[in-house]
Every structure is written in C-alpha cells, then in structure tokens.
Amino acid sequence: MIRKFYRALSVALACAALLGTWLLYKGDFWSLKTEEQKVHAIAEYASADPEDTHTLRAVLHPVVLHDKTFGSRRILTFTDSEIPNLLGSIQFRRGILGGWQPLKASYCAGPAIQSTRIQDTDLRVVYAAHCPPEIAHYKVQANLENDATLMAEGDVTAPDFFHVYETDRDYFPDIHLYDARGEELARQDYLAADDSVPSPGIGSAEINLVYILCAGLLALGWVTAKFFWTCDRPE
C-alpha cells in the first residue's frame, strides 16, 4: 500500500513538473494567432500602466498594421486608436515549443515613415501608415555623401506600406524623403517626433533564461519523481 502511494506521488510530481514547465514557458512565449492576442501582446510589452504617472512609456491602444514573419523572427507594426500619428513596431522570436517571445519594441508619434532592423538578421524594414501623398521616394542612409551607408531605398506607392531589404549595413537609420521631382522634403515637416508623446525603445534582457529555468524545473521533477518511484518501503 505504501509503495502504491509513493508511486502515485511520483506520477503526481512528474505531472506537476511538466505543467509548471509549460506554464513557465508560455509566460515568455505568447500565442499570436488572433488579432486580440496581437493587440494584447503589444500592450503588455510596450504600454504604460495607466496608473503609473512616472513612466517613460505611453498608454497604448494598439491597432495592428502589419504582421510579417521571417523564419524564426516576427515583427508587428502598429498605430494607436487614441494617439494621433503614433507608429511603432514590436519584434518576436519563435520558441522551440512554439509561441513568440518579445525581443524589442519602439514607437513615437510624428514621423511619416520609420525603419528598423530585424534583430539577428541582415534584414531591414521600412514601413509607414497614412503616408502623405507628396512623399514619393525615400532613402535610409546614414550619410548622403557616402553611398556605402545606404541601407534601403524605395518608392512610396501607397499610404500604408511595408518594404523589406536585405543588407548587412547597420548604421544609424537616418531617413530622407523626396517628392516626385526628386527634391528632398523638409525633415521637420515629416520626420520630427511629437515631444508630447513618449518615444521609448524597449528591449528584453536574458531572453534565454526561461530555457534554463525550464530545464532546471524538469530536472528537479525528474529527480524527485524517480526517487519516490524507486522508493522501496516495506508494506
């Protein structure tokens, strides 16, 4: 009878370890299958708490604009239903058991076009929402006098767009805008940020720690379950 009790305890401990590991994993790697889940992920990771008056973040009401996946990396761009001209992005990586772990996010209000590099890749994206019609062309280039610093260049063919470029150049992503005649447009009119709205850059530290914790929990569960399973007590 005692042996049966210890074996039942062993199974229960093993199940508890598996469940705990799965919950720990899912706490870091989120599901992004529905629009609601995507909006929740953006708000959870990048938004300020409405009750926190000392935060450097904005209280977001995200509206997903683009959703693109590149292998094990994924990026969502978004606007906001209550903050005019806000535009931002959030990046994720796929977990070994599925789900998506947030890596970094940024947003600001004002710039008509934004650009970012997909983390740990040679991909740069340029995206916009409600781009003014007079903008016909753009360059993402650190120094206009040095062609080697050009990272992306393209035409604006729609108010909302998402363009992808493959480049190993990763300089400061200075953006230059041009009209249909090829004349550069004034930066302050199209790329200046609204200082009344926070413009944070948010990043995740120790992104692999969850794997270490999951492995430790599984190992602890294995050791304790094995101990009670092989525990030989006289009945």
Side-chain angles (χ1 to χ4, degrees):
M1 190 68 183
I2 295 178
R3 181 177 297 177
K4 289 182 180 179
F5 169 77
Y6 279 116
R7 293 207 165 179
L9 180 60
S10 173
V11 172
L13 288 171
C15 291
L18 288 172
L19 178 60
T21 300
W22 178 247
L23 293 176
L24 181 61
Y25 176 86
K26 290 300 291 182
D28 260 39
F29 291 90
W30 305 337
S31 177
L32 298 176
K33 295 180 180 178
T34 68
E35 201 76 5
E36 183 179 1
Q37 289 171 337
K38 297 171 190 178
V39 168
H40 176 76
I42 296 170
E44 180 72 18
Y45 187 72
S47 178
D49 186 331
E51 298 179 357
D52 186 355
T53 59
H54 301 289
T55 183
L56 299 178
R57 303 182 186 187
V59 178
L60 298 178
H61 309 84
V63 177
V64 177
L65 187 63
H66 305 102
D67 179 2
K68 303 292 182 180
T69 300
F70 306 96
S72 63
R73 296 294 183 269
R74 186 169 179 176
I75 182 171
L76 305 179
T77 67
F78 58 91
T79 57
D80 194 277
S81 62
E82 296 192 15
I83 303 176
N85 301 319
L86 184 136
L87 182 61
S89 67
I90 179 171
Q91 294 189 33
F92 302 85
R93 69 167 179 172
R94 193 195 309 271
I96 60 175
L97 298 177
W100 297 92
Q101 181 186 47
L103 297 176
K104 64 179 184 178
S106 63
Y107 53 86
C108 61
I113 295 177
Q114 292 194 34
S115 175
T116 189
R117 175 173 169 264
I118 303 298
Q119 187 164 314
D120 302 323
T121 74
D122 287 335
L123 298 177
R124 175 164 289 277
V125 300
V126 183
Y127 56 95
H130 314 302
C131 190
E134 59 270 27
I135 300 177
H137 192 79
Y138 63 81
K139 290 182 180 180
V140 181
Q141 187 167 353
N143 184 350
L144 287 177
E145 297 180 358
N146 184 352
D147 291 341
T149 66
L150 178 65
M151 292 170 278
E153 181 177 9
D155 294 326
V156 177
T157 57
D160 298 349
F161 66 82
F162 185 98
H163 296 166
V164 184
Y165 299 88
E166 186 170 359
T167 175
D168 58 359
R169 299 172 182 173
D170 189 25
Y171 306 105
F172 182 80
D174 202 7
I175 300 175
H176 304 271
L177 305 178
Y178 303 86
D179 63 19
R181 299 188 305 273
E183 306 233 353
E184 186 168 6
L185 297 168
R187 179 179 184 87
Q188 64 269 23
D189 294 337
Y190 300 97
L191 295 172
D194 181 351
D195 292 335
S196 68
V197 179
S199 54
I202 304 159
S204 297
E206 304 295 341
I207 58 175
N208 291 317
L209 180 61
V210 62
Y211 288 130
I212 297 173
L213 295 175
C214 285
L217 184 56
L218 282 175
L220 178 63
W222 166 257
V223 170
T224 55
K226 184 178 180 181
F227 171 79
F228 285 108
W229 183 267
T230 57
C231 194
D232 191 6
R233 303 288 180 87
E235 296 186 1

